[in-house]
Amino acid sequence: MASVPKPDLGAARQDLYRKIEKHNFAPLWEVYHELIPDQPVTRCKPAIWKWADSRPYLMEAGRLITAKEALRRVLVLQNPGMRGESCITQSLFAGLQLILPGEVAPSHRHTQSALRFVVEGTGAYTAVDGERSMMNPGDFIITPSWTWHDHGNPGSEPVIWLDGLDLPILRAFAAQFHEPYPEEVQPISRGEGASLARYGNNLKPLGAVAPFGKTSPIFSYPYSRSRETLSKLAKEGDPDACHGWKLEFTNPLTGGPAMPTIGTFIQLLPKGFRTSPYRSTDGTVFQVAEGKGKVSIGGEEFSFGPKDTFVAPSWHPVTLETKEECVLFSYSDRPAQLALGLWREQRDG
Ligand code: 1HN
């Protein structure tokens, strides 16, 4: 026989909750549906950071603090739904970093993986475990987990790039370690381009041992090569309805993603193209390398132009519409989700 709730049952339940709380218990049934939602739930909101705002604020920061003093002079792109948490999605960090002529960002290493996508300027370098790579607009550069890295700008113009890190993932696992290098700048042990020569030409040294573990041995993917590849592809076949021509940066030793936690992509969309709606469980950060257009993210519309950054949260349908030919760099936590068997996508969703 089904029991009829007694009028004082509610009060008795509250009484139980109060008692057990002191002993670090809580009733699952009060939060069950919040814990197990039917579909992805995130506080991450669709948002855009316009270059017309980013650049002057970065330059103002450049007048107020040195790279050395700041360690890294970065403006964090804070998701408006998660302010104060230093993240752009629940699993990823994004920031814009400025290094002025003559400055050095001192050497250190950490277990968080980092990527750079160069936005503006030439003449700066980043060094990873003894090798320097010059930074040019559109270059995609990796700092693998636990590798020594420093940046410097011996050139004559400010250099700005987008930093992407897996900080919240490492925070969730509490697997963060950090160590400063004993000197400001690490010594150089290989010539520029050594990694690209060894691993970046569909060739590899005999007995090659992955120098960066699960991360690609190529730490710099120059824009000249990715752009040329996209242009060639666009002449050779039709664009995908949801993505245009979209490529993933890979680890040449495995064929898998270039970074173990972060997926990195570059896509070309022709002028006047409108993509079919697409959604996936990997909330994605987009950096506009070239072109102008509009994006609809979960029904919210944003106009974008060169050097803008925007974010599409997990499972929000994305539609892109181009006014000009566009090249977009993007990154997400897709490899982490795939490794755990969690990733889902829906085309035309
Ligand atoms: C970091 O070490 C760098 O090395 C950039 O350039 C951004 C954001 C949060 C924590 C560490 C860098 C970072 C960072």
Side-chain angles (χ1 to χ4, degrees), residues 72 74 93 97 105 108 110 114 116 143 149 151 161 163 165 167:
R72 296 295 186 262
V74 175
F93 170 94
Q97 182 161 175
H108 68 178
H110 40 69
R116 334 272 167 203
T143 307
H149 57 285
H151 320 296
W161 63 82
D163 283 314
L165 289 93
L167 299 183

